[in-house]
Amino acid sequence: MKGQSISVFILSLLLPWSSVFSQFPGDGTRANGSKPTLDGFAEVAWEASYAQVRDKFLSLAANPQSDEKIEVVHEDKEKSLLVRRNGIMYLYRFYSTPKLVLDSRPKDKQARPERPAANPDEDEHIEPGKLFSVGVSFRYLPGKDVQSKLENKYGKPKKETLDDKKIGGAVIWELTDEREAPPKGGFVVQWKEAYKKQPFTRRVDYFSSKVKAQIEREYKEFFSAEEIKTLRDLIP
């Protein structure tokens, strides 16, 4: 009986999901014949600085004429910004090249401008963080309805990676301009989870293709950076 009560409670949360969809990214339908792109998230462009995004939401939250309910819930300077917007959580993620990687590279003829000495906890990165990803979290919604809404905006997904039961996994949209290197644009990942033997979704992630390529490249640099820096210091 107790289990039935819990199930009824959970289902009661799922019933009014239309109000969540009204705020869900991917609203609207693509123009006929147009190729969808992803040059940012909503009104924020990829590679926007941490300070720009933070100031934007603080300004919106303080605007008495705004009908939106916006709150900056948590801040990790130059790394992440958690925003609650009309009941949905948005995690804005920022990336900056690790200091170790920068130090391992050949010195430019024109030195980088000096910045004030950082605190020990902040010494890992010395460049401003730039937006490369946004994670959207909400209460459980039927996976097929979330996918349908995203398809209305971005077209058919490029691929799906599902588990053996074809319930849990990820649906991926690649929305890039391959004529540029690294490709301009981004990609979307819808995560599906099993509930009552049916696929539901409570999280969608958006990524910049350009910054993703940069992170992958610098990830490889990071693991050889200490050796490279030592060799350069030994053999000037």
Side-chain angles (χ1 to χ4, degrees):
M1 190 71 181
K2 182 178 179 182
Q4 290 179 344
S5 299
I6 294 174
S7 298
V8 170
F9 173 72
I10 293 174
L11 288 173
S12 70
L13 295 178
L14 293 173
L15 290 177
W17 53 269
S18 59
S19 62
V20 176
F21 267 149
S22 66
Q23 304 294 337
F24 190 80
D27 210 1
T29 305
R30 293 178 300 146
N32 291 334
S34 64
K35 181 179 179 180
T37 58
L38 190 69
D39 298 324
F41 180 81
E43 68 273 28
V44 182
W46 295 134
E47 299 187 70
S49 71
Y50 174 89
Q52 289 173 329
V53 179
R54 181 180 183 274
D55 290 347
K56 177 182 182 63
F57 283 112
L58 289 177
S59 177
L60 287 172
N63 184 359
Q65 298 180 339
S66 175
D67 295 331
E68 294 191 273
K69 295 180 180 179
I70 298 175
E71 177 189 3
V72 176
V73 178
H74 180 74
E75 304 175 46
D76 189 355
K77 189 175 181 181
E78 306 297 350
K79 295 180 180 179
S80 66
L81 196 67
L82 182 61
V83 177
R84 181 185 289 112
R85 189 170 187 174
N86 301 322
I88 299 178
M89 303 298 289
Y90 299 86
L91 180 61
Y92 290 78
R93 307 180 184 101
F94 301 83
Y95 177 77
S96 56
T97 302
K99 180 178 183 297
L100 183 61
V101 171
L102 290 174
D103 289 345
S104 71
R105 292 173 176 171
K107 300 296 182 183
D108 296 330
K109 292 181 180 180
Q110 185 175 1
R112 295 192 303 269
E114 299 238 350
R115 295 186 59 186
N119 294 328
D121 293 340
E122 298 176 341
D123 197 44
E124 182 183 353
H125 299 80
I126 60 175
E127 293 187 333
K130 56 186 179 183
L131 182 67
F132 80 94
S133 174
V134 181
V136 186
S137 301
F138 40 89
R139 64 176 179 263
Y140 273 117
L141 297 175
K144 62 182 178 61
D145 294 327
V146 174
Q147 183 170 341
S148 176
K149 191 170 184 65
L150 289 168
E151 287 181 0
N152 283 341
K153 181 70 174 180
Y154 300 122
K156 293 294 182 181
K158 177 152 188 183
K159 59 184 175 180
E160 293 188 40
T161 57
L162 302 177
D163 59 21
D164 294 339
K165 296 181 180 179
K166 305 298 181 182
I167 295 178
V171 186
I172 302 169
W173 285 260
E174 290 192 14
L175 310 165
T176 61
D177 185 349
E178 300 293 345
R179 295 172 298 179
E180 298 190 24
K184 180 181 179 182
F187 59 98
V188 182
V189 181
Q190 174 194 351
W191 302 97
K192 292 185 178 180
E193 303 176 29
Y195 174 73
K196 293 291 185 180
K197 298 182 179 181
Q198 296 295 323
F200 279 80
T201 293
R202 60 177 174 178
R203 176 181 158 200
V204 176
D205 286 297
Y206 298 74
F207 297 89
S208 162
S209 293
K210 179 180 177 182
V211 185
K212 170 181 173 288
Q214 177 186 347
I215 293 172
E216 290 176 345
R217 183 176 65 253
E218 292 181 353
Y219 178 82
K220 295 177 182 178
E221 282 187 73
F222 184 83
F223 287 99
S224 59
E226 192 67 49
E227 290 81 359
I228 293 172
K229 181 176 181 298
T230 301
L231 287 172
R232 193 189 64 237
D233 292 341
L234 284 173
I235 310 172

